Amino acid sequence: QVQLVESGGGLVQAGGSLRLSCAASGRSFSGYSFSTYSMGWFRQAPGKEREFVAAIPWTGSRTYYEDSVKGRFTISRDNAKNTVYLQMNSLKPEDTAVYCCAARRLALDNLNAPYVYNYWGQGTQVTVSS
């Protein structure tokens, strides 16, 4: 059992910033360390398809971003806190969506694809006003 809980969403003016957090919990994460889970962020606006935002593998130094957020968003993780973050700067109205985090142990390929992940949080609302 792995539980993911997002926080940090809210209402912000265009050009502002938010930092989303995704905290993982569960007894020993079903026997595995959080550090062995690859993590991703996805978003979905009403009437639109779920969209990849960012991902960070369980190992290695690379991170991955959807083109529209490159240079504005940064994904990071703190394994000691069992938490992955999404720092969002220079927010635009088109960033408005429910943001969800996702996890899959030992995943390294196709981290932009929702099907890779087997654990999902409930999401946190981000609203960017014009």
Side-chain angles (χ1 to χ4, degrees), residues 55-66:
I56 184 166
W58 72 278
T59 188
S61 60
R62 292 190 63 184
T63 54
Y64 304 90
Y65 299 94
E66 194 273 327

Side-chain angles (χ1 to χ4, degrees), residues 40-123:
W41 285 97
F42 294 79
R43 65 188 181 186
Q44 187 168 25
K48 298 185 66 177
E49 296 181 355
R50 181 171 49 189
E51 179 185 37
F52 169 75
V53 178
I56 184 166
W58 72 278
T59 188
S61 60
R62 292 190 63 184
T63 54
Y64 304 90
Y65 299 94
E66 194 273 327
D67 287 343
S68 68
V69 309
K70 287 181 180 177
R72 300 190 297 122
F73 291 10
T74 302
I75 188 171
S76 62
R77 66 193 298 159
D78 187 338
N79 290 334
K81 296 182 178 180
N82 298 333
T83 301
V84 64
Y85 304 96
L86 185 68
Q87 178 67 46
M88 305 185 295
N89 298 326
S90 302
L91 283 162
K92 305 174 180 179
E94 50 263 47
D95 295 318
T96 295
V98 174
Y99 284 70
C100 295
C101 64
R104 174 70 178 269
R105 187 169 183 266
L106 303 181
L108 291 175
D109 297 328
N110 302 312
L111 296 182
N112 62 329
Y115 69 80
V116 167
Y117 302 91
N118 57 351
Y119 295 103
W120 291 83
Q122 294 299 307

